[in-house]
Amino acid sequence: MNRFSFTYTASVTLICCLGCLFSCSEDLLDINNDPNTSTQLALPNTLAFAQVSLVSNLLDVPNTNAGSFSRMWYTTAIRNYEQNQGTYSESWVNLYSRPLANLQAILDGSSEEDLGYRGITRLLKAYTFSVMVDLYGDVPYFEALNPEVTFPSVDQGEAIYADLLLQIDQGIQELSAASGSVQGDMIYGGDRSKWIKMGNTLKLKLYAQTRKENSINSVQGFNQLINADLISSASDDFQLKYGSQQTPNQNRHPLHVNHYNQATAYWMDNWTMANLLNDGTISGVTGRRVSYRTVEDPRLRYYLFRQVPGDGGGSVVTCAGGGCPIGLIGNGYLGRDAGDPSAFSNEGALIATFGVYPVGGLVDTDAPRTVTASDGTGRGVFPMLTSFMVKFLHAEMALTTATDGDPLALLTDAIGLSMEKVKNFGAEEMPSIVGSPYEMSSEAIAAYIADVQARYNATESEEEKLNIIMTEYQLALWGNGIEAYTNYRRTGYPDFAETSPVMGNPPYPQRFIIPVSELETNPSLADYSPDPFEPVFWSQP
């Protein structure tokens, strides 16, 4: 967060670069106004850039590392949770200087006649800062976007959350009072009713995340909201959908770009693959089954695509030195155990990679091949708030607090909504799958849900039941490592630390590290010493 991050010079420069970063397509930045000819604040372009830059920045290092911490995938750069004071330098600056600076420009440069823009912007700003608190714990907030404050001070996470709840309320009020159209909205197309649902759902999530601490009356707030106008179907989901264009300007999902062009950025984590296959895999370290289920997850072929049919012809060497928690999962599901030091650079054409959901890749039809940039559409999504999240959070609250509802019934609904979303997404992006033997069937979905229900009913303790809820939640979150990382730190589940511990057993990072460039250049933070192993406020009772 250097000096220029909070001036609108940076914001105007970014707005004017909009045309060269993304082209007009059916899904991204289909705006008629040319930002290169504007000399004033162009609300549609500023809003569009803020949305796209927000998601693209979150999908970069933050999502990659959070997903690695929560055992979705594995990267050598973060093999044993090796964060350092430079790990987040670029993403930290980019979040403040791009989406947040442009959102603040809308709030400061719009009028009372622009209530639609202001309401949407306020909700986007609240979502962005909530994610930053979830990742870093304490961040500059109250002074951060004030151009008159050169060196903003850091604010405590609980104080930021309390204000975010107020900002959400104000944003919803502005949207309710607004009239006229909103242009440049890449998420909901200017539909104010859907933004109101997003605001209510975001607020509900903040209440659920603070159930263990007492600065916010979370249970009361959650109970008051649970019957409000929330995201209740996939059509209401808060997500950005990418385009299919590669040239002259790339607008495909970043994970499709990175994993379908022989430049595979990371491996799939064996814990996740074992919890999708559910074939009885036993941890080599603990001797326990890695998953509690006995039925294959119907989403497996939509989540993962195999590039080889077997073990890579013996080319893959795993867990050099021994000590594999799981080891090599065969039949083309080549990934890594967390902490495995033996990964080498030319595995890109061998390892399992992303499927059709959520990156717009391919459905696995038992025809493995090395994927290329021409495979799939790239029209992926980054699901930030969804209908299945609402049900999972309600199940958690109903189990652990005085919140009404049957946890198992809510869990069943949540899994069903996730399955429906993934199946429909696959049909839209790969129509040839419809009616084929590889399409997710109603029978397979029902069998999986029955298996989960049986296991849930067989457990006796609240902790065991919570593990099932949070494990199913994490599997539904495929592609969104940030939410999975938050859930794990808040609840301690899924129980991968017990079923498949990280090689070397490194201490678990409870938060991201504020970059040293910020600490050294901002005198207001001279006495602030962030501890990556100190829990974020909402995980403390």
Side-chain angles (χ1 to χ4, degrees), residues 183-442:
Q183 303 296 320
D185 176 12
M186 309 307 302
I187 296 175
Y188 287 133
D191 189 330
R192 293 192 299 275
S193 65
K194 291 187 176 183
W195 277 107
I196 290 173
K197 293 180 181 180
M198 176 272 184
N200 286 327
T201 303
L202 175 58
K203 192 174 180 181
L204 186 86
K205 185 172 89 81
L206 299 189
Y207 281 132
Q209 288 181 185
T210 53
R211 68 172 174 84
K212 294 174 64 176
E213 62 90 48
N214 56 20
S215 69
I216 297 170
N217 196 341
S218 300
V219 175
Q220 180 181 355
F222 190 95
N223 290 339
Q224 290 173 344
L225 267 176
I226 197 58
N227 294 317
D229 200 11
L230 301 168
I231 293 173
S232 59
S233 68
S235 62
D236 296 331
D237 286 352
F238 175 56
Q239 61 187 24
L240 179 74
K241 186 172 178 68
Y242 282 83
S244 60
Q245 187 168 297
Q246 298 184 70
T247 57
N249 295 296
Q250 179 69 256
N251 67 10
R252 292 190 169 199
H253 192 291
L255 292 179
H256 184 279
V257 175
N258 289 338
H259 290 258
Y260 274 68
N261 64 354
Q262 290 299 294
T264 304
Y266 40 79
W267 297 258
M268 304 296 104
D269 191 286
N270 282 341
W271 180 89
T272 289
M273 292 199 291
N275 273 275
L276 292 170
L277 287 161
N278 302 319
D279 58 359
T281 298
I282 302 295
S283 169
V285 174
T286 68
R288 294 174 52 183
R289 281 180 59 104
V290 179
S291 75
Y292 48 77
R293 286 165 251 88
T294 60
V295 174
E296 182 179 289
D297 193 318
R299 296 165 295 195
L300 171 66
R301 294 177 179 273
Y302 288 60
Y303 280 4
L304 299 175
F305 185 86
R306 292 168 293 172
Q307 298 189 93
V308 293
D311 65 355
S315 300
V316 178
V317 179
T318 61
C319 301
C324 278
I326 299 178
L328 177 66
I329 295 180
N331 196 27
Y333 291 103
L334 304 182
R336 288 289 174 187
D337 283 331
D340 182 352
S342 60
F344 57 96
S345 60
N346 61 347
E347 293 182 38
L350 303 175
I351 63 179
T353 189
F354 286 99
V356 68
Y357 182 88
V359 309
L362 298 173
V363 175
D364 190 318
T365 59
D366 289 334
R369 68 173 188 271
T370 300
V371 296
T372 68
S374 62
D375 288 316
T377 64
R379 290 190 307 228
V381 294
F382 184 56
M384 295 173 280
L385 292 171
T386 68
S387 58
F388 68 74
M389 291 184 189
V390 172
K391 293 294 185 179
F392 277 117
L393 290 172
H394 193 177
E396 176 192 346
M397 292 291 285
L399 177 69
T400 60
T401 72
T403 295
D404 291 337
D406 177 357
L408 180 55
L410 292 163
L411 172 62
T412 300
D413 290 344
I415 298 172
L417 287 168
S418 169
M419 295 285 180
E420 179 184 19
K421 180 179 179 67
V422 174
K423 179 179 180 178
N424 290 342
F425 185 89
E428 180 180 347
E429 298 306 322
M430 192 172 169
S432 61
I433 200 67
V434 178
S436 77
Y438 306 101
E439 183 183 22
M440 291 172 61
S441 69
S442 299

